[in-house]
Amino acid sequence: MSAKMPLRSIPSLPNRMAAGRPVLAQRQVTELTERVMGMTSADTVYVIVSHTARVVTRMANGQVLSGDDGDELEIFIGTKFGNRNGVKVTTNQLDDSSLRAMVQHGERLAREGIGPVDSSVAEERQEPDQLIPVQLWHEETIRAMSTTRGTVIPELLGAIAHEQLRAAGFLGIMARSEALITKEGIAVYSEETDCEITVTARTADGKSSGWGGQAARNWTAVKYADVAAHAARMAKLGVDPVALEPGRRVAILGAPAVAQITRFMAQQFNAASTDRGMTALSKLPYGNKLRMRVLDPRIDMSSDPADADGGYRPYFSSGNGTKAMTWVENGVLKNLAYDPLYAMVKGKPYAEDPYSLRIAGGPTSVDQMVAQCKEGVYVNRLSAVEMVDQRTALMTGVMRDGCFLVKNGQIERGLKNFRFLDSPFFFMNSIEAIGPTARAPFGYTPRAAGESWFTDWPRRPMIVPPMMVRDFNFNALADAV
Amino acid sequence: MVKHTRRVFLATSSLATAGSLVTLRGIGAQPITLRTAASHLTGDTLLPEPATPMDLRALGTAAMDAARQGGASYADIRVAERHSFSLYLDANNVAPDLEVKSTLSFGIRVIADGGLAFVHGTSPTIDSVTTAAREAMATARGYAKLVTKPVEFLPLPSVTGEWSTPMKVDPFTVPLEDQAALLHAYNGASTRVYHAGTQGTRFQWTRETRVFAASNGTLLTQQLRYSEPMLRSGGDWMMGAVNFLPPRIGYASGGYETVMIPGLQDDIKATAEEVARLARLPRRAFDVGRYPVVLDGATFGTVLGTTLGPALELDRVLGDEADASGTSFVSPPMEQLGRVITSSALTVTAHRNPPSYAAVKWDDDGTEAHEFPLVQSGRLVDYITSRSSAPALQRWYEQQGQPLRSHGCAVAGEAGHPVLVRSPHLTVAPAAQRATLEDLYRDIPRGLLIRYADNVATDQQLSSGSLTWAGAMFEIEKGKIVRRIDGNGIQFGTSTFWKSLMAVGDANTTGMGTFYLSKGQPWRYVIRTATAPAGFFKDVNVISTKVRL
């Protein structure tokens, strides 16, 4: 091996898992950030070290398809001299020679630059904040990384096969540790665990499909037998689906369907975009709808790093602390998210777009919604949702794995899927009933066009209720099953 | 390989502003001289010395030794070092933003007792890769108990080889100062046109040494090069009204020659003038209903590449993605092959040849990639395959008198990603007779022309689509462009849409669609491209996207 090969490296994942710590410890990631900081003399330095480990099993066609186990290290260094344009450097090698090479080359570029000073670049806010204490790391989840495969996967496959259905699915468990420091004195650390399990159950003829899922920070909160049972029930209820005319109808949206829509709400709360007329919260011809009623009075939307059902790291990408925010209260817009520069311009407190959203729940379960519904469509889940127009939050997407005609208080039969075209600023103003709130699973949800949020797996927690709404726009039939 | 020099650059640039003295509209009256202190800086000087292929091969063979010793019936590894850097110049900025990235990663697949496991990592040591191989062995054996149909790969002979993406000018040796000057020049070619502008210009360069080693002794080394320029001219662009891409530049494999194109600044200027002219057209919403629609080549390529392309990926067709990206409406394969699935005007071939972005010599299964037909005059003749999926088509190939083989479409977007079947570059055959874009809409009494759309919302079987974002949409009346359309899109059933293709344009209408395709769980993305001529589709459902809150 040449001298290029590292002097220091991370022990292998099995060894780390055996030691009960699949990712680098706080001391190790912090030491790494400090090591990098010590290699640079730039005026402004920003270092993030993030180490993620995950254990994944995929299922398809009634058996295990494969796994996807491993870890990812990311070391990000931003350096800047004066007001000169900064340089961003990323590497995943932690040996001294690689690190020093990347840091010093980046610094050289930042120092010498390839253009004149850009005096319009304002300094970002850099004072350290007191962070909210959060509990995102759960030892039960770490233990599950080693123990679930042999027990959970056979149970899931067996449960679906028992119903004469074909199983596909996903079991993913992850852990991450991250440290961030800046030359100005910010030094923060977070660690988190997360897991998600999803099961698709399809009939042999491929004409009906059901899906269930759960996601949690703590593995013990996952009731995987319920996931398989729900998927099987959806598939069996959906056999021999019939086509119903598209149109505006009462919709009972399961929590996973609501989550697929509300994941786009984060950027709706962006103050700069809103003030420029680019979101549904813009007030035309200029300004925003702060203190105006924008949604049904039963809707409260908030985010809190210490949320017991989800929560997230208590600092923004700058390292500044994030606090609990109320975005919508009783349907009234209470706050917008001001990025550092825009906050300075507007004299507002700094807050990034929400990392997570909680929509306050109501008392009506899905079964009760069905019982109350004279005629409508129950939607288990949505797929391939995309923003059509940010200015109205108009979205399109397709029903998936459970779409049913509800008549006279009962699920009557399976329906062919629909495509929808609607905005939450319409249907969340036409609410008939709201159910209990829980963290919703996402399943396969890659980044959609126009989506600027964190979009890798696992997606940030979305804690939302099922809803029954009027006049939901099922605007076309979709042949997809 | 051509050595990059300022003289070469100036010789290939037609505007006098393309040197290091650049005047920017709207920044200030004084010409701005780019700093000379950094004239020696290049991508090479920013990045660590690349690992030698020998080092990477040593990791690969060590992992395969460990897998063989552990009793694997098959194993392979992709190990790669990837360097990239990008310069992005906003239209209002003087100096570009710079990002540099260097990563090393590996991914190992092992089959043991019929179970398949995948393990990836970023620690490039012998100990790390051999431990990972053993870990994959243990996991595969555990999975084998839950497998009723064992995983098998088409056998390949043991091959050793090296290949490099063809490249004329290495962008890692071109001074950053010169690259910044070219960005300024390209931005300026748009911004100097009255009522036109740009959202900024970016060059992004990637070099990757990727080694593939398999347990049968195959050892392949590829030096891959990617160019990801972002360049878009907008008319009335603050309103996002009309955004076009200049011709002849786009995502490709290759070197600096992919952006330093003789006459490109003239093309950018012409594109900016065209969008400025079109942006001045009156604008209104179109009535919903069914109308003839013409797509330019870039849009045609995007719609094809995001609907029919993934629908023909055989792992998806066979159900491997049922809980993730979904299955396919072109299923089951033995019932679909030989059937007419689109209009007879559509002929599609697939390949991984340079300079397409997907270009490689060997795929991530170790199969040599080759060109193959997918759709011939509307008839489905093949699927996009890998070594593990191709055997499902054995009977079809026997009927056709063709050998059973993979088409070389197994892809790990990065070495540490799982290997999945991914669409290669798709090419639609243009019309042999002259047929311009204008010819395609000349006889339309009332309809739509859509240009430069780069996104289509699909569904879990690719059976429907919704196109609501485009560089611009125009109303056609009596064969002429009369208005810009604001607040409409098209929605379609994929099969019906491709059967409604009435005519395609000639080779001069060809454009390239560039798009992201995601797949897997956790999902991973790859960038893909498709080239196509313009196309005329009848009776397409035009929807309204204009609502009032």
Side-chain angles (χ1 to χ4, degrees):
Chain A
M1 304 293 286
S2 76
K4 166 73 179 60
M5 287 298 148
L7 301 171
R8 294 196 221 178
S9 62
I10 302 174
S12 68
L13 182 59
N15 291 340
R16 295 196 310 272
M17 278 168 55
R21 183 74 196 185
V23 289
L24 295 174
Q26 177 170 7
R27 176 183 54 76
Q28 292 170 305
V29 286
T30 305
E31 182 269 331
L32 254 174
T33 56
E34 286 164 357
R35 231 168 90 200
V36 172
M37 183 64 77
M39 292 175 181
T40 175
S41 61
D43 297 339
T44 306
V45 186
Y46 171 92
V47 182
I48 301 181
V49 175
S50 170
H51 187 217
T52 305
R54 66 166 173 248
V55 172
V56 164
T57 300
R58 297 187 68 197
M59 295 158 270
N61 291 312
Q63 62 178 26
V64 168
L65 179 67
S66 182
D68 183 354
D69 303 345
D71 64 336
E72 284 156 18
L73 178 73
E74 184 169 287
I75 303 170
F76 175 91
I77 309 133
T79 49
K80 200 169 163 184
F81 284 89
N83 281 340
R84 201 162 289 148
N85 267 21
V87 173
K88 297 167 186 164
V89 170
T90 307
T91 181
N92 67 358
Q93 296 306 296
L94 49 66
D95 61 295
D96 262 342
S97 60
S98 295
L99 268 179
R100 197 173 292 280
M102 290 299 286
V103 171
Q104 292 180 350
H105 291 143
E107 181 178 323
R108 184 177 168 195
L109 186 61
R111 186 195 300 277
E112 298 185 15
I114 56 166
V117 169
D118 182 354
S119 57
S120 70
V121 178
E123 285 299 316
E124 293 185 5
R125 185 176 158 225
Q126 288 291 353
E127 305 90 34
D129 292 325
Q130 190 70 36
L131 301 187
I132 293 172
V134 296
Q135 180 57 48
L136 308 177
W137 180 276
H138 297 276
E139 291 298 332
E140 296 89 339
T141 309
I142 299 300
R143 281 195 289 278
M145 291 177 105
S146 311
T147 58
T148 51
R149 273 185 180 144
T151 54
V152 176
I153 302 293
E155 262 193 64
L156 292 174
L157 292 170
I160 301 300
H162 181 73
E163 300 290 344
Q164 311 296 315
L165 298 165
R166 191 169 294 173
F170 167 80
L171 168 61
I173 306 176
M174 63 78 73
R176 177 180 293 134
S177 60
E178 179 187 280
L180 180 160
I181 60 171
T182 70
K183 198 160 189 176
E184 289 74 15
I186 288 177
V188 292
Y189 170 80
S190 69
E191 57 184 23
E192 59 184 312
T193 58
D194 210 89
C195 55
E196 184 171 27
I197 186 163
T198 63
V199 172
T200 297
R202 292 173 76 84
T203 52
D205 64 3
K207 290 182 178 168
S208 180
S209 182
W211 180 87
Q214 287 186 21
R217 292 287 190 196
N218 189 333
W219 170 254
T220 57
V222 173
K223 309 294 177 223
Y224 53 87
D226 293 353
V227 171
H230 183 73
R233 178 170 173 254
M234 293 288 102
K236 293 183 92 170
L237 277 171
V239 294
D240 299 325
V242 294
L244 195 66
E245 271 299 300
R248 290 190 178 273
R249 298 175 182 276
V250 170
I252 298 170
L253 303 172
V258 173
Q260 287 291 342
I261 289 171
T262 49
R263 73 184 157 104
F264 291 91
M265 293 298 284
Q267 64 247 53
Q268 288 288 313
F269 292 117
N270 183 279
S273 300
T274 297
D275 288 353
R276 284 203 306 268
M278 301 304 290
T279 77
L281 299 173
S282 305
K283 189 164 76 177
L284 300 176
Y286 58 86
N288 57 54
K289 294 180 180 172
L290 273 171
R291 293 176 295 282
M292 292 172 66
R293 196 173 80 74
V294 293
L295 296 168
D296 184 287
R298 284 169 286 182
I299 294 286
D300 291 345
M301 287 187 183
S302 58
S303 49
D304 182 356
D307 192 308
D309 291 323
Y312 48 93
R313 66 177 193 187
Y315 53 89
F316 294 122
S317 52
S318 62
N320 291 114
T322 167
K323 56 182 184 178
M325 293 286 287
T326 298
W327 306 100
V328 173
E329 191 173 60
N330 300 326
V332 174
L333 180 63
K334 303 296 281 188
N335 280 299
L336 291 170
Y338 292 81
D339 63 55
L341 287 180
Y342 199 54
M344 278 166 57
V345 171
K346 302 296 278 187
K348 298 274 190 180
Y350 164 52
E352 280 184 3
D353 299 357
Y355 268 37
S356 166
L357 270 185
R358 168 182 281 274
I359 299 181
T364 317
S365 69
V366 168
D367 287 345
Q368 289 169 323
M369 289 177 195
V370 169
Q372 290 171 15
C373 182
K374 193 173 174 201
E375 183 172 332
V377 176
Y378 170 53
V379 178
N380 183 40
R381 178 194 184 199
L382 295 170
S383 186
V385 180
E386 299 225 355
M387 185 69 82
V388 171
D389 186 355
Q390 289 277 9
R391 290 169 298 182
T392 55
L394 189 72
M395 299 172 200
T396 188
V398 179
M399 323 286 126
R400 181 172 178 180
D401 303 322
C403 178
F404 305 99
L405 175 65
V406 178
K407 225 167 180 178
N408 299 321
Q410 289 190 322
I411 289 181
E412 190 170 281
R413 65 178 310 161
L415 293 176
K416 285 188 72 173
N417 286 320
F418 290 102
R419 178 172 284 281
F420 80 93
L421 184 68
D422 213 327
S423 164
F425 290 95
F426 288 133
F427 68 77
M428 284 193 197
N429 270 307
S430 306
I431 293 176
E432 292 278 311
I434 304 179
T437 286
R439 177 160 171 201
F442 273 108
Y444 174 81
T445 309
R447 182 180 180 276
E451 193 182 15
S452 59
W453 214 9
F454 180 90
T455 54
D456 287 344
W457 181 84
R459 280 182 168 258
R460 301 280 174 175
M462 190 66 69
I463 306 134
V464 295
M467 289 182 188
M468 181 158 74
V469 301
R470 295 184 303 277
D471 298 327
F472 191 76
N473 187 13
F474 299 93
N475 85 319
L477 285 168
D479 289 333
V481 179
Chain B
M1 192 184 298
V2 176
K3 174 119 178 84
H4 173 83
T5 64
R6 180 70 56 84
R7 185 173 299 164
V8 170
F9 166 64
L10 289 173
T12 58
S13 305
S14 63
L15 298 184
T17 54
S20 61
L21 197 66
V22 180
T23 304
L24 297 179
R25 197 183 74 174
I27 297 294
Q30 295 300 314
I32 294 162
T33 306
L34 293 174
R35 288 164 58 90
T36 53
S39 60
H40 56 289
L41 290 180
T42 65
D44 265 344
T45 61
L46 296 178
L47 285 151
E49 188 73 17
T52 67
M54 199 171 61
D55 285 340
L56 300 178
R57 285 194 286 261
L59 293 172
T61 50
M64 292 305 96
D65 288 345
R68 271 192 300 266
Q69 285 160 13
S73 58
Y74 175 80
D76 62 22
I77 181 172
R78 286 138 296 283
V79 55
E81 185 178 54
R82 176 180 277 221
H83 288 169
S84 65
F85 73 95
S86 69
L87 300 91
Y88 169 73
L89 186 66
D90 189 90
N92 298 319
N93 274 1
V94 180
D97 293 331
L98 284 146
E99 288 196 46
V100 184
K101 192 168 184 179
S102 166
T103 58
L104 211 152
S105 58
F106 66 86
I108 298 175
R109 286 191 299 190
V110 169
I111 299 178
D113 304 334
L116 170 67
F118 173 75
V119 172
H120 63 93
T122 57
S123 192
T125 62
I126 298 287
D127 177 59
S128 181
V129 296
T130 52
T131 306
R134 287 191 285 270
E135 179 194 355
M137 279 293 304
T139 305
R141 288 209 165 103
Y143 285 160
K145 297 171 194 143
L146 301 168
V147 165
T148 47
K149 188 179 168 206
V151 182
E152 284 182 42
F153 285 6
L154 278 177
L156 276 180
S158 174
V159 179
T160 303
E162 295 188 28
W163 184 80
S164 298
T165 304
M167 174 177 64
K168 290 179 182 164
V169 181
D170 184 353
F172 286 77
T173 65
V174 177
L176 300 180
E177 188 185 38
D178 287 0
Q179 301 205 28
L182 194 54
L183 290 170
H184 274 293
Y186 287 168
N187 271 356
S190 284
T191 55
R192 274 189 301 278
V193 174
Y194 189 56
H195 274 307
T198 175
Q199 294 168 341
T201 302
R202 182 195 72 188
F203 297 155
Q204 180 163 307
W205 309 107
T206 300
R207 67 181 178 203
E208 177 175 327
T209 304
R210 185 175 291 211
V211 166
F212 172 90
S215 52
N216 71 341
T218 291
L219 189 57
L220 307 168
T221 307
Q222 299 188 88
Q223 307 273 357
L224 305 170
R225 298 289 190 142
Y226 301 102
S227 167
E228 296 167 30
M230 188 189 78
L231 213 160
R232 194 173 265 264
S233 295
D236 191 12
W237 72 277
M238 285 299 285
M239 299 300 292
V242 180
N243 286 288
F244 285 5
L245 304 171
R248 300 191 296 141
I249 185 166
Y251 280 32
S253 59
Y256 200 61
E257 69 281 358
T258 58
V259 301
M260 195 176 66
I261 301 167
L264 183 62
Q265 291 174 68
D266 293 333
D267 289 347
I268 296 168
K269 181 166 171 278
T271 303
E273 287 168 349
E274 185 185 13
V275 296
R277 177 176 59 79
L278 292 169
R280 287 197 289 274
L281 287 170
R283 182 163 59 151
R284 74 169 185 188
F286 200 69
D287 303 324
V288 298
R290 292 193 171 273
Y291 297 93
V293 169
V294 173
L295 308 183
D296 71 357
T299 306
F300 193 131
T302 296
V303 178
L304 180 87
T306 53
T307 59
L308 207 51
L312 297 178
E313 292 168 356
L314 192 55
D315 59 347
R316 189 177 174 125
V317 171
L318 297 174
D320 287 358
E321 287 281 307
D323 186 63
S325 58
T327 55
S328 169
F329 76 97
V330 194
S331 172
M334 290 310 294
E335 288 179 23
Q336 298 288 335
L337 281 162
R339 278 187 51 198
V340 171
I341 63 162
T342 72
S343 147
S344 60
L346 188 69
T347 291
V348 183
T349 54
H351 67 77
R352 304 192 65 181
N353 302 333
S356 77
Y357 190 85
V360 291
K361 181 166 185 182
W362 297 281
D363 76 350
D364 288 307
D365 268 351
T367 303
E368 188 163 344
H370 53 265
E371 189 162 329
F372 61 100
L374 275 173
V375 177
Q376 285 178 330
S377 301
R379 191 169 154 266
L380 180 68
V381 295
D382 217 330
Y383 281 89
I384 297 163
T385 59
S386 62
R387 286 171 65 192
S388 58
S389 58
L393 306 183
Q394 182 165 11
R395 195 154 47 92
W396 168 253
Y397 292 131
E398 283 170 2
Q399 287 167 5
Q400 303 304 306
Q402 295 174 6
L404 170 62
R405 61 174 178 168
S406 159
H407 289 312
C409 301
V411 175
E414 293 179 18
H417 290 181
V419 180
L420 302 169
V421 178
R422 299 284 197 167
S423 180
H425 181 85
L426 303 179
T427 303
V428 177
Q433 304 82 16
R434 179 186 147 88
T436 65
L437 185 65
E438 292 74 19
D439 291 338
L440 291 178
Y441 59 71
R442 181 161 296 146
D443 296 326
I444 293 180
R446 190 149 187 262
L448 257 66
L449 166 65
I450 302 177
R451 300 196 64 183
Y452 295 105
D454 58 8
N455 182 61
V456 178
T458 58
D459 63 41
Q460 61 271 24
Q461 287 191 316
L462 293 318
S463 69
S464 71
S466 174
L467 187 163
T468 53
W469 291 13
M473 296 190 196
F474 300 101
E475 181 177 344
I476 304 293
E477 202 173 80
K478 295 176 184 168
K480 292 201 179 324
I481 294 174
V482 291
R483 290 176 201 90
R484 278 162 50 199
I485 286 176
D486 182 29
N488 291 95
I490 61 170
Q491 206 164 270
F492 52 82
T494 308
S495 179
T496 309
F497 182 75
W498 289 111
K499 284 178 178 164
S500 74
L501 175 66
M502 295 290 100
V504 296
D506 62 26
N508 289 324
T509 68
T510 296
M512 187 172 78
T514 305
F515 39 86
Y516 285 87
L517 294 176
S518 64
K519 201 174 186 181
Q521 176 72 310
W523 46 92
R524 282 3 191 275
Y525 304 90
V526 293
I527 295 167
R528 281 294 177 261
T529 51
T531 46
F536 167 46
F537 299 79
K538 68 168 185 181
D539 293 337
V540 180
N541 184 23
V542 176
I543 60 165
S544 170
T545 59
K546 201 83 170 171
V547 294
R548 187 180 291 270
L549 286 175

